[in-house]
Amino acid sequence: MIQWQDLHHSELTVPTLYAVLQLRCQVFVVEQTCPYLDIDGDDLVGENRHILGWRDGKLIAYARILKSEEDVEPVVIGRVIVDAAVRGEKLGAQLMERALASCQQNWPQKALYLGAQAHLQPFYAQFGFQPVTPIYDEDGIPHVGMARE
């Protein structure tokens, strides 16, 4: 059973933030062999939110939602991640459903955007996201910008 949380950044405890950063580093930096600065200054500002999925006290799914202070900017869903040990259990879909529900609850009139790894376009398309940019390189990995109105 997964325990889901939808937290404003001010609700993150130090152990929770540590688990988030550990999972993101484990997958995005180590597993994907992509050295980049994950701690980018966006985790603890503004209205930004964090979607967390826990099983037996371990963080196994996570997404970050960034709300710009500029009204014309879309809400950005990013850092979408599922621990390698539980991939194949459809947790990515559950995670996206939770992230979209949070966006709908907090910013119902806002367009949504995400920078997807290019091979995941079909996954995000099932949630209504369509490509809006050509494929581009981000830290050595092909990505595509995708939006949902």
Side-chain angles (χ1 to χ4, degrees), residues 20-29 38 43 62 81:
V20 165
L21 298 175
Q22 184 178 38
L23 180 60
R24 289 183 355 197
C25 183
Q26 173 188 332
V27 174
F28 295 133
V29 177
D38 176 53
D43 291 310
Y62 170 83
I81 191 170

Side-chain angles (χ1 to χ4, degrees), residues 25-36 139-141:
C25 183
Q26 173 188 332
V27 174
F28 295 133
V29 177
V30 176
E31 180 184 326
Q32 296 181 356
T33 60
C34 183
Y36 79 106
D139 300 315
I141 299 173

